[in-house]
Amino acid sequence: MYQWRKFEFFEEKSGGKGSIPAEITGRIDCCSGGRGRIVIGCDDGTVSLLDRGFKHIYGFQAHASSVLFLQQLKQRNYLVTVGEEDQTSSHLSSICLKVFDLDKMQPEGSSSTGPVCVQILRIFTTQFPEAKITSFLVLEEAPPILLISIGLENGSIYCIKGDLTRERISRFKLQVEGPVETSDSLITGLGFRVEGQALQLFAITPTSVSLFSLNDNPPRRQTLDQIGCNSNAVAMSDHMDLIIGRPEAVYFYEVDGRGPCWAFDGEKKFLGWFRGYLLCVIGDHQINSKNSFNIYDLKNKLIAHSMMVGEVSHMICEWGYIILIMSDRKVLFIGEKDMESKLDMLFKKNLYNVAINLVHSQHADAVATAEVLRKYGDHLYGKQEYDEAMSQYIQTIGHLEPSYVIQKFLDAQRIYNLTNYLEQLHERGLASKDHTTLLLNCYTKLKDVEKLNKFIKGDDSVSEQRFDVETAIRVCRSAGYHEHAMYVAKKAKRHEWYLKILLEDLGSYQEALQYISSLEPNQAGVTLKEYGKILIEHRPAETIGILMKVCTDSGETKRISSNGARLSMLPSPMDFINSFVHSPQSLMDFLEKYVSRVKDSPAQTEINNTLLELYLSNSLSFPSISRENVGDDLNFKANNSWEVANGSASGKKTKPFTEGKDVKKENDRQERFQKGLSLLKSAWTSEMEYPMYDVDLAIILCEMNAFKDGLLFLYEKMKLYKEVFACYMQAHDHEGLIACCKKLGDSSQGGDPSLWGDLLKYFGELGEDCSKEVKEVLTYIERDDVLPPIVVVQLLSKNPCLTLSVVKDYIARRLEQESKLIEDDRKSIEKYQEGTTSMRKEIQELRTNAKIFQLSKCTACTFTLDLPAVHFMCMHSFHLRCLGDNEKECPECAPEYRAVLETKRNLEQNAKDQDRFFQQVKSSKDGFSVIADYFSKGILSKTANDTDNT
């Protein structure tokens, strides 16, 4: 114990000149602190209250004779005192217990001044015989319940429990079994221990330490030790441990017996406990009037303060001070220095370990603790004890800026210490991206693969929080530790980084494809969009297989229909088209496979457009409109235009390909053209109103790549017959022209008969001998009566290579037909003239001559005709009774007459329907006959129009 260091962590306050106020005249027998005041009891029965400056507040007469014990309660502003009163009866004890309410004062004019005494209780009764009181202690269980323990000289303890102010109390007695001699059985100290619901009472005599369990009924006693102590050498620690002082040592007791023992030599006159410190007033055996007052820090094993004092009569703690009341009425105030002062004292002596222990024991805040550790680390660093310094710096993590430590250890000689510090930063989750970069660089410079593996592949459950993933990947990748970078990327599900390493650093295309195939379809699609180009360049077949799986959500080869909503949720093949920018052949294969498996895709139109662009490209470039192709197409078109303009009649088909091309490429081109034609037809069938591709784009592609078959199909589907016809003429394909006119010039099939006229015009302007073709064309013109003979002759007369023999038979047949028609018309005219003359004659007779009716029978009833009778101009006669109400028209002729009128009315109505008239003119082979028919019926006559207007 003598090796303990001594420090002055405490100091005297108020200049050491405090003293008991003059208002207190009696001898001080007892005192108590609490609630910011000091209460002092004297032998004259007075109680005085002192404030923080040890000034007298007020005093009052508590007992008539003397105040033996007192205790100020903390939960209620009550004062409990034990003192002597005047002897009023020989049978009654003079010792009384009083309870004062310090918040209530006696009213003015009363016989006494001071607080109100709320209860006076006799301690000794017939059941509890009187004895000398040696110790006194009050426990506030739960206000207003109090538990008062009174230790006696004979080894007994009287206990009073309850609400004293209302006299709702119970009494019980505890007996300490001690030696026979009375002097060794007196109760020198008491101490309550409250732990949860357990309530225990320590009782100390000069020769024993006992513990009573007050929860038991009756209370159970156990002896903890066979040694004890004298009065005033008893205290309770903050941890509810009993402390007793004997000349040879200070003993601590717990509920199960003796605990630590501290060998502080000397007579312990007073013991106390203050903020974790043990307070001892130790008598000097050489000088009776001198005592040593020591403050021990038991946890750190140091003497926090030591001083010589005179004779101490009382020791209490209040206002954060240790207060010593001396026998000469002097008062010492001893206060603890602030933490900064104590630490400065230790730092000056380089006692950093003591400082660290001190801040821990004082429960200082983390910032203050870290500052002490930092200073200790700086001290060790200055002594070049780098390992020990780093151990201190590590303890400051979370409070000290890491850059402060890192800068000190950046030197290559101290890279191991720096690595240790950075590891601790990551373990506690406080590392930044820069710290991760620095740590990984340390590993790579040290080539410590084992530690790198542990850091990267260590605790999988927390690896994602220990470091920044992207930083770790980047550093490992740059240092050549690709395996570690890939592990981190895969663990963190950073697929883009994993694939970047495989493809850009390692060139492991097959492994990259296997990794992508293991991902979820959505994630696989995202990675393929980013890295599809390089994968298709090196592994086209496998990449297309994964794309098919992603876009169809199925690895099977079955056909998929888009009846459900699932197909619309899948990625579109067009989302990946950028990946094929340098691989048009692979793109064509991919789209062909997709179309063969998926029908009615939401992106079907875009897919067909792309396929057409690939199929119709001359050299399978993407996009197909390349400079080479454009140049070839322009030369091809220019040659064709020149030939058409100069009337070339070679009769040979122009070759759409340059002669220098390789045969294999030529075959491939023809095969793709056939695929393109099949796609054009399959995506625009006769049942479809609109095609599943962009028609304008298809026409442009066909024209730019001289794909005549595609153009012909598109123009035909769009009913652009003139353009179809122009294609054949441009190619000088006479057989195709005639076949085209046969197919598209049939009006019964919705064709355009005027195409025959255009064809005949073409042959007339051709400038070469085409007699055979002209004769065939004239056959169809004659059959459908497309052109008048005079027009035919005029068109063919422009071709100097054609002779009259070509049209001689046609003209002869047409003249014969015209002569026959003229003869038929002449006969019809004569017939109509005779009928007209007969009608006019009949009308004249009806107007000028009388009509004789000779019928003798009624036309309706066939009975003999008698009067009254009605005769009609149609030579029908009727009884008047047979006609009924209709006397103005003949019942026999009325239906026929009405039919004629209805027909006339319909004709007149049709004359007003101009659309129908022009439609008949347009659809008829002989429009003039339609007009003549309308005139013959009088519909278009001036008379009819005037009648309508009137």
Side-chain angles (χ1 to χ4, degrees):
M1 295 301 175
Y2 296 104
Q3 297 178 358
W4 283 19
R5 290 190 176 94
K6 291 184 179 181
F7 299 95
E8 292 302 322
F9 290 164
F10 288 78
E11 61 183 351
E12 292 187 35
K13 303 294 182 180
S14 302
K17 297 181 181 179
S19 62
I20 298 297
E23 290 85 352
I24 302 175
T25 58
R27 187 185 75 248
I28 300 174
D29 287 340
C30 55
C31 61
S32 173
R35 303 183 69 88
R37 292 172 299 193
I38 296 293
V39 182
I40 294 177
C42 299
D43 60 352
D44 58 1
T46 60
V47 172
S48 300
L49 279 73
L50 307 181
D51 61 9
R52 187 182 184 89
F54 231 66
K55 302 298 183 183
H56 189 268
I57 302 175
Y58 67 87
F60 63 93
Q61 190 73 34
H63 295 273
S65 180
S66 64
V67 181
L68 302 177
F69 301 93
L70 61 79
Q71 183 172 336
Q72 187 174 196
L73 303 185
K74 295 183 179 180
Q75 299 185 36
R76 303 179 71 184
N77 196 16
Y78 280 8
L79 178 67
V80 181
T81 64
V82 175
E84 293 185 11
E85 299 291 337
D86 294 334
Q87 188 77 25
T88 59
S89 173
S90 59
H91 302 289
L92 297 177
S93 174
S94 62
I95 306 299
C96 293
L97 184 146
K98 291 185 178 182
V99 179
F100 294 93
D101 186 350
L102 300 182
D103 289 333
K104 297 180 180 180
M105 303 299 291
Q106 293 284 356
E108 295 183 4
S110 57
S111 58
S112 61
T113 58
V116 175
C117 180
V118 296
Q119 185 60 259
I120 300 175
L121 190 67
R122 296 287 179 179
I123 296 177
F124 303 110
T125 64
T126 55
Q127 295 181 352
F128 298 90
E130 183 175 358
K132 183 180 178 181
I133 301 175
T134 56
S135 58
F136 174 78
L137 189 61
V138 180
L139 173 67
E140 299 176 75
E141 286 193 29
I145 305 301
L146 301 178
L147 176 57
I148 300 174
S149 295
I150 302 172
L152 304 178
E153 186 180 24
N154 57 14
S156 298
I157 301 174
Y158 292 167
C159 295
I160 303 173
K161 183 177 182 179
D163 186 357
L164 271 67
T165 60
R166 299 183 181 182
E167 295 191 9
R168 297 177 181 177
I169 60 175
S170 61
R171 297 171 183 254
F172 57 92
K173 177 181 177 182
L174 304 176
Q175 184 65 44
V176 177
E177 297 179 1
V180 180
E181 289 137 8
T182 308
S183 61
D184 293 334
S185 62
L186 62 91
I187 305 299
T188 57
L190 296 171
F192 282 112
R193 179 185 179 94
V194 181
E195 189 173 4
Q197 298 295 325
L199 177 59
Q200 297 169 313
L201 175 65
F202 289 102
I204 301 94
T205 68
T207 57
S208 68
V209 177
S210 302
L211 179 66
F212 291 92
S213 297
L214 301 182
N215 296 103
D216 298 337
N217 191 12
R220 179 173 53 87
R221 173 185 171 275
Q222 68 179 105
T223 301
L224 301 181
D225 204 348
Q226 295 296 331
I227 60 173
C229 68
N230 297 322
S231 300
N232 297 327
V234 178
M236 294 292 294
S237 72
D238 294 338
H239 301 291
M240 307 300 289
D241 293 334
L242 175 67
I243 309 171
I244 66 173
R246 294 181 59 82
E248 70 279 6
V250 174
Y251 299 91
F252 281 70
Y253 289 89
E254 299 177 357
V255 293
D256 53 354
R258 186 191 296 180
C261 173
W262 304 93
F264 301 139
D265 192 20
E267 180 186 0
K268 312 304 183 296
K269 293 186 176 182
F270 287 93
L271 281 185
W273 192 263
F274 176 75
R275 296 179 178 176
Y277 293 100
L278 176 64
L279 311 179
C280 290
V281 176
I282 302 175
D284 191 340
H285 61 279
Q286 296 179 354
I287 305 175
N288 294 331
S289 61
K290 290 294 183 181
N291 299 288
S292 173
F293 174 63
N294 295 334
I295 303 176
Y296 299 99
D297 185 347
L298 302 180
K299 191 171 185 178
N300 298 316
K301 295 183 180 180
L302 57 86
I303 300 175
H305 184 67
S306 180
M307 62 182 297
M308 297 301 295
V309 295
E311 190 70 27
V312 178
S313 63
H314 296 86
M315 182 174 65
I316 55 176
C317 298
E318 186 64 30
W319 307 306
Y321 297 142
I322 303 168
I323 302 172
L324 299 180
I325 300 177
M326 316 303 292
S327 298
D328 58 0
R329 301 175 69 89
K330 298 292 184 181
V331 180
L332 293 180
F333 292 87
I334 302 172
E336 186 177 9
K337 295 180 180 179
D338 59 82
M339 180 62 71
E340 185 176 357
S341 300
K342 292 188 287 185
L343 292 177
D344 288 342
M345 188 186 306
L346 295 172
F347 293 154
K348 290 178 181 179
K349 298 180 180 181
N350 293 330
L351 298 175
Y352 293 98
N353 284 322
V354 178
I356 293 171
N357 295 333
L358 179 64
V359 294
H360 284 311
S361 63
Q362 297 282 318
H363 303 289
D365 59 84
V367 176
T369 304
E371 180 63 18
V372 175
L373 294 169
R374 181 194 66 79
K375 289 185 177 182
Y376 188 26
D378 292 345
H379 173 71
L380 294 172
Y381 184 88
K383 295 171 62 178
Q384 297 185 355
E385 297 178 5
Y386 300 118
D387 294 341
E388 292 79 2
M390 179 53 71
S391 65
Q392 302 304 319
Y393 287 134
I394 288 174
Q395 297 182 61
T396 66
I397 292 177
H399 305 285
L400 179 63
E401 178 61 38
S403 60
Y404 178 85
V405 180
I406 293 172
Q407 288 178 355
K408 288 179 174 291
F409 291 86
L410 279 177
D411 189 273
Q413 300 296 327
R414 296 185 285 275
I415 191 171
Y416 292 97
N417 300 122
L418 178 60
T419 302
N420 186 21
Y421 182 78
L422 293 171
E423 286 175 345
Q424 293 297 323
L425 275 178
H426 284 81
E427 285 291 339
R428 303 183 190 187
L430 299 175
S432 65
K433 295 181 181 180
D434 295 332
H435 298 150
T436 302
T437 303
L438 187 57
L439 177 59
L440 292 174
N441 284 329
C442 290
Y443 286 148
T444 55
K445 286 184 179 180
L446 293 172
K447 300 187 183 302
D448 194 340
V449 179
E450 182 179 354
K451 278 194 173 183
L452 183 61
N453 288 336
K454 184 178 180 181
F455 179 76
I456 296 296
K457 305 177 181 180
D459 191 355
D460 292 341
S461 62
V462 298
S463 60
E464 295 172 345
Q465 289 100 13
R466 288 176 56 206
F467 54 82
D468 181 73
V469 172
E470 187 171 339
T471 302
I473 295 172
R474 178 171 45 79
V475 175
C476 290
R477 184 185 178 199
S478 61
Y481 290 87
H482 298 108
E483 180 185 354
H484 297 82
M486 286 169 34
Y487 178 86
V488 175
K490 188 174 183 179
K491 186 66 180 177
K493 297 183 179 180
R494 300 295 292 272
H495 312 299
E496 68 281 2
W497 278 101
Y498 189 87
L499 293 172
K500 188 186 290 292
I501 297 168
L502 282 177
L503 297 175
E504 298 179 5
D505 298 339
L506 303 179
S508 301
Y509 306 109
Q510 191 63 36
E511 185 179 351
L513 287 170
Q514 292 175 358
Y515 180 77
I516 292 174
S517 62
S518 66
L519 300 177
E520 296 181 357
N522 291 339
Q523 191 62 46
V526 173
T527 55
L528 283 172
K529 287 180 183 178
E530 186 171 357
Y531 301 104
K533 187 183 299 183
I534 189 172
L535 289 172
I536 289 170
E537 182 180 354
H538 294 87
R539 294 291 187 275
E542 295 88 342
T543 307
I544 290 174
I546 297 177
L547 282 173
M548 287 296 297
K549 183 178 179 181
V550 170
C551 294
T552 61
D553 196 20
S554 172
E556 303 175 2
T557 57
K558 63 182 181 179
R559 298 196 174 199
I560 301 174
S561 175
S562 59
N563 293 333
R566 180 180 60 84
L567 189 58
S568 62
M569 301 298 292
L570 297 176
S572 170
M574 303 309 295
D575 296 340
F576 306 96
I577 194 170
N578 291 335
S579 301
F580 296 88
V581 66
H582 299 307
S583 305
Q585 181 65 48
S586 300
L587 175 61
M588 186 172 68
D589 296 340
F590 169 53
L591 295 179
E592 285 177 347
K593 289 182 179 179
Y594 181 82
V595 171
S596 65
R597 185 178 301 175
V598 179
K599 304 299 180 183
D600 302 331
S601 170
Q604 193 65 44
T605 300
E606 291 82 357
I607 295 173
N608 290 340
N609 290 339
T610 305
L611 281 173
L612 285 175
E613 192 172 355
L614 294 168
Y615 287 153
L616 303 182
S617 172
N618 277 329
S619 58
L620 191 59
S621 59
F622 185 73
S624 63
I625 307 175
S626 63
R627 293 183 179 179
E628 179 183 356
N629 296 338
V630 172
D632 293 343
D633 296 340
L634 293 177
N635 292 333
F636 169 76
K637 292 181 179 180
N639 292 334
N640 287 342
S641 301
W642 181 85
E643 291 175 2
V644 173
N646 290 276
S648 175
S650 62
K652 297 181 181 180
K653 297 182 179 179
T654 303
K655 295 182 180 180
F657 311 109
T658 57
E659 296 180 357
K661 290 190 175 181
D662 185 76
V663 176
K664 183 178 180 181
K665 292 183 178 180
E666 200 69 30
N667 294 336
D668 176 67
R669 182 174 183 272
Q670 289 295 332
E671 182 180 352
R672 287 188 287 104
F673 274 23
Q674 290 303 317
K675 289 182 179 180
L677 183 60
S678 299
L679 177 58
L680 288 173
K681 293 180 178 180
S682 62
W684 195 359
T685 60
S686 58
E687 294 82 8
M688 300 169 63
E689 184 178 359
Y690 299 103
M692 293 294 293
Y693 51 80
D694 188 341
V695 178
D696 295 335
L697 175 63
I699 292 175
I700 292 173
L701 292 172
C702 292
E703 287 182 346
M704 296 195 69
N705 295 283
F707 185 37
K708 185 184 72 174
D709 293 341
L711 277 175
L712 292 176
F713 171 77
L714 292 171
Y715 287 152
E716 182 179 338
K717 290 293 291 184
M718 298 172 69
K719 298 187 183 302
L720 300 175
Y721 302 138
K722 301 290 186 180
E723 283 74 5
V724 176
F725 195 69
C727 289
Y728 284 105
M729 288 193 301
Q730 187 177 7
H732 295 274
D733 187 358
H734 297 169
E735 293 180 2
L737 280 169
I738 295 174
C740 174
C741 286
K742 288 179 181 180
K743 181 179 179 182
L744 304 179
D746 189 355
S747 60
S748 62
Q749 300 296 328
D752 185 4
S754 63
L755 292 176
W756 291 107
D758 295 337
L759 179 57
L760 190 65
K761 182 180 179 182
Y762 167 74
F763 286 135
E765 298 175 351
L766 188 58
E768 61 184 47
D769 187 8
C770 51
S771 301
K772 181 181 177 181
E773 290 85 353
V774 170
K775 288 180 180 181
E776 186 176 358
V777 172
L778 289 176
T779 302
Y780 291 100
I781 290 177
E782 182 182 1
R783 185 194 67 180
D784 296 335
D785 196 14
V786 177
L787 294 174
I790 185 63
V791 176
V792 172
V793 174
Q794 289 175 349
L795 292 175
L796 294 178
S797 64
K798 298 179 181 180
N799 191 342
C801 298
L802 296 178
T803 61
L804 186 60
S805 60
V806 177
V807 295
K808 181 178 68 173
D809 295 338
Y810 166 74
I811 296 297
R813 288 191 302 271
R814 289 306 305 262
L815 289 175
E816 183 181 354
Q817 291 175 3
E818 293 294 336
S819 299
K820 186 179 179 181
L821 290 174
I822 292 172
E823 182 62 25
D824 291 340
D825 290 342
R826 187 185 60 79
K827 291 179 180 180
S828 298
I829 291 171
E830 290 177 354
K831 181 181 176 181
Y832 289 140
Q833 286 178 347
E834 291 176 357
T836 302
T837 302
S838 175
M839 289 180 184
R840 288 177 176 174
K841 183 178 179 181
E842 184 178 355
I843 292 171
Q844 183 65 25
E845 289 180 353
L846 290 174
R847 287 180 177 178
T848 59
N849 299 330
K851 197 73 172 176
I852 300 174
F853 297 95
Q854 296 179 348
L855 290 178
S856 59
K857 291 183 179 181
C858 177
T859 303
C861 63
T862 67
F863 288 104
T864 303
L865 189 65
D866 56 2
L867 298 175
V870 178
H871 304 279
F872 293 96
M873 298 299 289
C874 60
M875 303 307 294
H876 291 138
S877 300
F878 298 90
H879 292 115
L880 182 60
R881 62 179 179 271
C882 293
L883 290 176
D885 297 335
N886 191 3
E887 299 178 0
K888 294 183 179 181
E889 61 181 8
C890 173
E892 291 292 329
C893 299
E896 183 179 356
Y897 179 67
R898 290 196 188 97
V900 173
L901 291 178
E902 185 65 26
T903 300
K904 182 180 179 182
R905 191 179 302 111
N906 289 338
L907 290 173
E908 293 174 351
Q909 185 67 29
N910 290 338
K912 300 177 181 179
D913 190 354
Q914 299 178 5
D915 293 337
R916 182 178 180 183
F917 169 74
F918 288 110
Q919 182 64 30
Q920 290 181 3
V921 172
K922 184 177 180 181
S923 61
S924 176
K925 294 181 180 180
D926 186 3
F928 182 77
S929 62
V930 177
I931 299 173
D933 183 57
Y934 269 75
F935 272 104
S936 67
K937 296 176 181 178
I939 297 174
L940 300 179
S941 65
K942 186 175 182 301
T943 306
N945 291 335
D946 294 342
T947 304
D948 292 339
N949 293 333
T950 58

